[in-house]
Amino acid sequence: MARKKLFRTAAELIEGYELSGHRYKSRKLYLIGKSLPSGNVSLLMYGRNEGRCVRISTGSILECETNLVIKRANEEKVRLEQIKCDDRNTELERREAGIAPAPRSKILFVDYLLQLAQSEYERTGIKRSYYDNLRALAIHVEAYDRRDVRFKDITLEWIQGFMEYLKNDALNFNYLRSKDEEKRKTISISQNSQCRLQRNLNYALNKAVKAKIIASNPMAGLGKEDKVKQVSGTRFYLTEAEIKKLISTPYTHGIHSIKEAFLFACYTGLRYSDLKAITKRDFHEDKNGVYLQIVMQKTKEPLKVYVPKVALSLIPNRDIDDVPLFYLPKNDCANANLRKWLKDAGITDRPITFHCARHSAATLLLSNGVPLAVVSKQLGHLKSSTTEIYAKLVDEAQKSAASKMDDLFTLKEGDA
């Protein structure tokens, strides 16, 4: 297959994606590109209506293309904004001709989901949240109903059928897309994944109600028996004794800062994405001690966390203030090397990942009497209910410890 041409300048982007507007003078509204000082291109809807100039910013920016990943992202942006522009142009032309506006219920549902995903990404800059979830929902909608599903088709009966599809037929497409035949498996999605898709379907339909695309959300009529309930996932963590064992176990599996970064996360509760990003500039000091002041990569929310001395001792020397402190690979590679180190320490009974350091920090703090509200703030949780999950883990561990005592010391019949 021929390699697609990359448009490396603003002029090439405008010409390559036909955004000059010269071909569309017969339309009421058309998509154009405007060069920005950065060298990128802003997408606008432009035209004339009733003698007035119409200029609508879409909020979408095309980046100069240095690789195929950026090109595919640009193509998707142009495609989605062109759909919106065509819709608005049709409405303007119908209005001028004295024809009643077309019912918006004819909008393609999958296109709407992809537009919504893109707008959420542009609003938050986060791909792991609504962006990825809404795109996954679009894939499953197409897998369930291979027609061009429109809003008028989204009835209570359709939703009930879709819920049955999620429970019984939906597959994990991440495995099916693998280029490695050994990893290409047919695996159903988990119950929590079903619940997440259900939640995002409800979110999208509520958004459509606010946009006056539909009059009401048909999911309101869904019975409890039709809905998927979320289940508590297994959160693996390390005990105090296991962390001490890791401290005394040398790391001999490469040049990355796996040991230092993992232990730092155990002491502070930082996510891997934040560990990779912190620099000397993020550390500050006040009368209470040294603290980290960062914006969390996942949520884009600010986090202030005091750093214990045992964690500060792990920080490598860096001459440049804005260079990441820990030298770390991609998350998958980091976890693979982490498992080797854990094996050296004799910890092989459960799948421990870098994120388990965060779980370990939470359970250690709670089990040593730190109030739940303080732990919630330390981890940067937006809801205390998230932290309460760790409190339940501590309770279960204590219950298990009590049961163990019963097993060890309860007198059996005939022992007295």
Side-chain angles (χ1 to χ4, degrees):
M1 185 169 63
R3 182 183 178 88
K4 291 185 178 181
K5 180 182 178 182
L6 301 178
F7 303 134
R8 300 181 181 275
T9 66
E12 288 181 4
L13 285 168
I14 292 171
E15 180 182 354
Y17 290 111
E18 299 180 350
L19 299 171
S20 63
H22 296 309
R23 296 180 56 191
Y24 305 107
K25 294 299 184 182
S26 60
R27 291 168 56 109
K28 295 290 180 186
L29 201 65
Y30 45 89
L31 203 62
I32 65 168
K34 178 186 176 184
S35 299
L36 298 173
S38 62
N40 295 330
V41 170
S42 174
L43 291 179
L44 306 169
M45 294 184 200
Y46 186 82
R48 301 192 70 82
N49 181 43
E50 298 178 352
R52 293 185 303 169
C53 180
V54 178
R55 188 185 185 92
I56 304 168
S57 174
T58 67
S60 289
I61 305 294
L62 302 185
E63 298 180 27
C64 294
E65 298 170 353
T66 56
N67 56 56
L68 288 176
V69 174
I70 297 176
K71 183 169 190 68
R72 283 193 290 269
N74 283 344
E75 289 173 340
E76 184 70 356
K77 288 176 186 178
V78 172
R79 188 183 77 82
L80 293 175
E81 295 304 337
Q82 189 62 61
I83 291 169
K84 294 180 188 177
C85 188
D86 290 344
D87 187 40
R88 290 198 180 199
N89 178 71
T90 300
E91 293 301 316
L92 289 174
E93 290 182 347
R94 291 175 70 92
R95 198 175 299 159
E96 185 179 85
I99 302 172
R104 301 188 72 190
S105 61
K106 292 185 178 180
I107 295 173
L108 289 171
F109 187 48
V110 167
D111 282 344
Y112 172 79
L113 292 174
L114 295 176
Q115 290 173 19
L116 192 58
Q118 187 64 34
S119 64
E120 286 293 334
Y121 173 59
E122 289 166 3
R123 181 178 67 83
T124 64
I126 303 172
K127 280 197 171 183
R128 291 186 62 187
S129 184
Y130 280 117
Y131 177 82
D132 279 342
N133 290 333
L134 288 167
R135 291 177 69 86
L137 177 59
I139 292 171
H140 283 286
V141 167
E142 287 188 319
Y144 165 63
D145 191 340
R146 299 194 179 278
R147 303 172 299 160
D148 288 337
V149 180
R150 302 177 187 273
F151 271 99
K152 63 182 179 63
D153 302 317
I154 310 297
T155 61
L156 176 58
E157 290 74 21
W158 187 94
I159 289 173
Q160 288 171 329
F162 183 68
M163 298 308 300
E164 285 300 312
Y165 155 81
L166 291 181
K167 294 174 185 177
N168 302 311
D169 302 316
L171 299 176
N172 188 321
F173 292 109
N174 290 328
Y175 287 101
L176 294 175
R177 285 197 296 261
S178 176
K179 294 180 180 178
D180 186 341
E181 287 188 10
E182 292 184 2
K183 294 181 180 179
R184 200 178 303 147
K185 307 171 185 175
T186 302
I187 296 178
S188 299
I189 60 173
S190 68
Q191 186 168 331
N192 281 349
S193 292
Q194 296 168 25
C195 188
R196 185 169 57 251
L197 289 163
Q198 170 186 269
R199 189 165 57 244
N200 281 280
L201 175 61
N202 190 53
Y203 170 81
L205 291 173
N206 281 335
K207 281 279 190 181
V209 171
K210 288 183 179 179
K212 301 189 184 306
I213 297 174
I214 53 178
S216 61
N217 183 349
M219 284 192 76
L222 205 60
K224 285 186 178 181
E225 67 280 2
D226 295 318
K227 295 179 180 179
V228 181
K229 293 181 180 179
Q230 188 166 2
V231 294
S232 297
T234 302
R235 280 174 163 79
F236 296 108
Y237 60 92
L238 297 174
T239 64
E240 179 184 352
E242 288 171 329
I243 292 174
K244 287 179 178 178
K245 190 181 290 186
L246 284 175
I247 292 171
S248 62
T249 302
Y251 178 79
T252 59
H253 302 286
I255 59 174
H256 293 108
S257 312
I258 299 296
K259 179 174 181 176
E260 296 81 2
F262 185 79
L263 291 174
F264 190 92
C266 287
Y267 300 144
T268 60
L270 287 186
R271 295 184 181 90
Y272 188 76
S273 56
D274 295 323
L275 282 171
K276 286 192 71 173
I278 56 173
T279 68
K280 287 174 66 174
R281 292 184 187 276
D282 298 319
F283 288 83
H284 309 277
E285 189 170 4
D286 61 16
K287 63 180 182 180
N288 296 314
V290 177
Y291 64 90
L292 266 173
Q293 185 84 50
I294 62 172
V295 174
M296 292 181 285
Q297 300 287 315
K298 179 180 178 180
T299 64
K300 303 304 179 185
E301 293 288 331
L303 174 68
K304 179 181 178 180
V305 54
Y306 283 93
V307 183
K309 292 178 182 178
V310 67
L312 291 174
S313 67
L314 295 167
I315 297 175
N317 291 323
R318 290 283 184 265
D319 295 330
I320 305 173
D321 288 350
D322 56 357
V323 170
L325 289 177
F326 297 113
Y327 177 53
L328 293 169
K330 290 183 178 180
N331 192 249
D332 289 346
C333 179
N335 284 329
N337 287 326
L338 174 64
R339 285 192 291 273
K340 296 175 184 177
W341 179 43
L342 287 163
K343 185 177 181 181
D344 293 342
I347 304 171
T348 58
D349 61 332
R350 58 202 184 281
I352 298 293
T353 66
F354 251 89
H355 198 70
C356 295
R358 184 169 168 83
H359 300 332
S360 303
T363 51
L364 281 171
L365 291 172
L366 289 168
S367 60
N368 282 279
V370 178
L372 188 141
V374 175
V375 177
S376 183
K377 188 172 182 180
Q378 178 87 357
L379 297 180
H381 286 159
L382 300 180
K383 297 183 292 185
S384 61
S385 59
T386 306
T387 320
E388 287 170 1
I389 296 170
Y390 297 108
K392 291 177 182 177
L393 286 178
V394 173
D395 290 341
E396 289 170 4
Q398 291 175 331
K399 179 182 176 182
S400 176
S403 298
K404 191 68 175 176
M405 287 296 180
D406 283 336
D407 293 339
L408 290 172
F409 300 110
T410 298
L411 292 177
K412 297 178 182 178
E413 190 177 343
D415 287 347

